Amino acid sequence: MAQKGQDIRLAANFLKEGKLVAIPTETVYGLAGNALNPAAVASIFETKNRPSFDPLIIHVSGIGLVEKYTEDFPKPLQKLAEKFWPGPLTLLLPRKNNIPDLVTSGLDRVAVRVPDHELTLALLASLDFPLAAPSANPFGYISPTTAEHVDAQLGGKIPYILDGGPCKVGLESTIVGMEGEEVIIYRLGGLEISEIESIVGKVKIKDHSSSNPQAPGLLESHYAPRKPFILGDLNEMIPGFQTRKVDFAVLSFTRQIEGISGERQFFLSKNSDLKEAAANLFAAMRHLDESDAEVILAELMPEVGLGRAINDRLKRAAAKV
Ligand code: TXA
Ligand code: MG
């Protein structure tokens, strides 16, 4: 178990020594280290068991710091930053040489964001370096949305978890960059496409999978529980599993399903609210993964607003390598 608390100075001291600290953000908890210290960055990869071809996001306390680490800030992306930072938006920008290769996996863009969490913003403001932070989970597993989630898997490997309570958004940031004049979304996330389009007009969504390791958060199998996770129409799937006497658990959008015990089902939002569903998603997946059911049956959300990003995570959780 790691020490947990709200002590920003203690967290800052560990980070200055090159150690790692888990940090709260509005999206998910991050596993943070000094982005300018290659040894600290290397230990992020090691602690998460993450392949080094998967680049990291750097976190800064405000938009004014972007120019310190990047060569150029195209106008459309600048407008997005002005509107949505601090918030669940990550921008891919041409990097300066002060960013170690390990952070970007040798790519010429660096991912930057300003997270929206009081504690982490105060922590960043007290440091003279940015924090590289992937989600604080072992590679490929469900992202953590509470300090307890982090502690359960990485607690033995890090000295401190800055405990900022449950994450408000619950889905990772939306990753945006440019190719020529075009604004591209590389990962669907906590900031909705429509909000982005309201500022920069029509965008293109590059929904890659394992064939394109540009953003391995987009690997086909990712965010995955250990148990078989089967996505489909619950009404069609449930009777079959009942007849075969398979011990299953159910993850649904709003409904409670009759004849299944409360421990064996989890619905994401009573009032069909996709924001609420997003905030509950990863905790629900973990909860069911930890139950003693043999398989998890789940349904897709409506493919609108945050529903698209939630469905992206559900499909990757269900994908088998
Ligand atoms: O909400 C979030 O973004 C959270 C919190 C902690 O900030 N972080 C997060 O990090 O989700 P991570 O490492 O789990 O996912 C970052 C994604 C990866 O899929 C990575 O491939 C992509 O960002 N990425 C980072 N730098 C990139 C780059 N230079 N070019 C393309 N993709 C990049
Ligand atoms: Mg991740």
Side-chain angles (χ1 to χ4, degrees), residues 23-31 48 50 53-59 88-90 92-93 103-105 107-113 115 133-137 143 171-175 186-187 190 213-219 222-223 313:
I23 55 167
T25 81
E26 79 286 24
T27 60
V28 300
Y29 273 73
L31 177 64
K48 262 191 78 111
R50 175 170 171 131
F53 61 77
D54 191 359
L56 304 177
I57 297 172
I58 68 164
H59 298 69
L89 168 73
T90 292
L92 296 183
L93 298 167
V103 170
T104 63
S105 308
L107 297 170
D108 44 15
R109 290 189 294 187
V110 61
V112 188
R113 90 178 190 97
S135 51
N137 50 280
S143 301
L171 288 176
E172 296 82 355
S173 58
T174 304
I175 302 181
Y186 295 93
R187 175 175 74 180
Q214 267 249 347
L218 297 177
L219 285 174
H222 211 80
Y223 313 102
R313 303 303 189 269

Side-chain angles (χ1 to χ4, degrees), residues 86-168:
L89 168 73
T90 292
L91 298 174
L92 296 183
L93 298 167
R95 66 151 161 163
K96 278 201 174 132
N97 285 336
N98 54 6
I99 299 295
D101 278 339
L102 202 49
V103 170
T104 63
S105 308
L107 297 170
D108 44 15
R109 290 189 294 187
V110 61
V112 188
R113 90 178 190 97
V114 179
D116 186 12
H117 194 292
E118 213 181 16
L119 285 180
T120 293
L121 285 172
L123 173 65
L124 286 167
S126 77
L127 299 169
D128 59 3
F129 49 82
L131 291 175
S135 51
N137 50 280
F139 184 69
Y141 194 65
I142 305 161
S143 301
T145 52
T146 66
E148 289 70 31
H149 293 164
V150 178
D151 207 8
Q153 288 178 309
L154 299 182
K157 298 182 171 181
I158 54 177
Y160 196 62
I161 300 173
L162 192 59
D163 186 349
C167 301
K168 284 181 302 193

